Amino acid sequence: MENKLLGRHGELIACTHLRKNGYSILEQNWRYGREEIDIIAQLNDLIVFVEVKTRNTDYTGDPVMAVNTSKRKIVIRIANEYILSKNIDLESRFDIIGIVHNAKETRIDHVEDAFFPTI
C-alpha cells in the first residue's frame, strides 16, 4: 500500500478506535498553513490532539517513536492556533496512535498524554 494511502487508512482506523472509546471526532486533517494535525477529538471536557503514525510492519521500529521532537513542536503550534481560532476554553492533551496494519494484522497502540514530559 502506498505510504500516503496507508497513512489515510491508518487515520480511519484511529478514528474508529477513538469513537469506540467514547471520543467525538471534531476534525480530521486540520490544516494551519502547510502543516496539519491528523485528528482533533473531544473526550468529555478535554480536547485531544492526535498524531497518527501507520506502518505496514514494525521492522523499522515502533510507529509511536516516529513522532520526534520536531513533529511534536509542530503539532503543539498548530493546536495553539486551533484553540485560538475556535475560542476553546478546555484542557487539552496530545496523544499518539501508532498503527501496524497489513494483511495479517492491525495493531493499535494509543499513547495518551504522549508529549509530556518531553516538551
Side-chain angles (χ1 to χ4, degrees):
M1 197 180 280
E2 180 190 325
N3 284 347
K4 194 168 210 118
L5 184 59
L6 180 64
R8 293 293 183 217
H9 188 69
E11 290 171 10
L12 293 174
I13 292 169
C15 283
T16 299
H17 164 79
L18 290 167
R19 285 186 186 102
K20 283 182 182 177
N21 287 283
Y23 293 76
S24 298
I25 305 302
L26 303 177
E27 306 274 356
Q28 285 183 255
N29 307 113
W30 193 82
R31 298 188 71 77
Y32 178 73
R34 298 178 66 175
E35 299 162 338
E36 73 175 25
I37 293 178
D38 294 328
I39 301 170
I40 302 171
Q42 186 168 349
L43 180 65
N44 302 317
D45 292 334
L46 184 68
I47 295 291
V48 183
F49 299 94
V50 183
E51 180 65 19
V52 180
K53 286 295 176 194
T54 308
R55 303 286 185 264
N56 57 16
T57 178
D58 59 4
Y59 179 75
T60 58
D62 181 353
V64 169
M65 299 308 292
V67 183
N68 60 27
T69 301
S70 176
K71 181 61 176 179
R72 291 172 189 227
K73 288 178 181 177
I74 290 168
V75 171
I76 289 168
R77 184 172 55 244
I78 301 167
N80 285 332
E81 291 299 330
Y82 181 82
I83 288 168
L84 290 172
S85 72
K86 303 288 183 178
N87 198 26
I88 293 172
D89 188 23
L90 297 173
E91 291 292 317
S92 61
R93 183 178 82 200
F94 297 91
D95 292 5
I96 301 172
I97 296 181
I99 298 172
V100 174
H101 175 74
N102 56 53
K104 295 181 182 179
E105 70 175 328
T106 298
R107 197 170 4 131
I108 301 169
D109 183 14
H110 182 175
V111 181
E112 296 179 354
D113 211 8
F115 289 17
F116 182 80
T118 303
I119 294 181

